[in-house]
Amino acid sequence: MGGDAWAMTGAYQADLAAAFRGEQEKALAEDDHGFGSRMVEELWRDPEWQEYIFTGGTGTVLDQAYAVEAGSTDDGPCMRPLTEDEIRAWCPGGRPTHDAWEAALDSGALEYPGRGCGNCTVLYEEGRPARIAYWGVTCD
């Protein structure tokens, strides 16, 4: 079985790690995947949750346990912001819009990360930060 690619957007916050954690809590509130009302940090300490994620996953930001800094070489399961150079490789102006992000993913100009990993970047509207794009690949 191979990992499944997924993509979504979430609310903008200047602190990308906090925004990521907020999107995880939102996703968990929408669907707890049968694990009851627990916080994300609690779930990641549960071997049953880990097995659930590593053998199928959710296809959302819940599939990553923690956020790392841009440029980190950690191989997951983590969410990593793109570096400025990585953004400019597919968006020369450095301020991608939602449409530019989707087009880059669709064309392959922007690659999905390896299994169990996620990436994120700020999306802009009229030159201002508006959303955060998240995309990744399940572990399975």
Side-chain angles (χ1 to χ4, degrees), residues 44-117:
W44 275 102
R45 289 190 295 269
D46 182 340
E48 289 181 27
W49 174 260
Q50 293 174 23
E51 179 73 12
Y52 179 74
I53 296 299
F54 296 145
T55 60
T58 67
T60 73
V61 291
L62 291 172
D63 292 347
Q64 286 73 49
Y66 54 94
V68 295
E69 296 293 319
S72 172
T73 58
D74 195 326
D75 61 358
C78 60
M79 179 62 63
R80 184 184 68 80
L82 295 183
T83 65
E84 189 69 27
D85 287 343
E86 288 172 321
I87 295 167
R88 289 185 181 280
W90 57 275
C91 180
R95 291 183 174 239
T97 63
H98 186 275
D99 290 344
W101 169 67
E102 281 188 332
L105 282 176
D106 290 346
S107 71
L110 179 58
E111 294 183 4
Y112 281 85
R115 283 187 181 175
C117 294

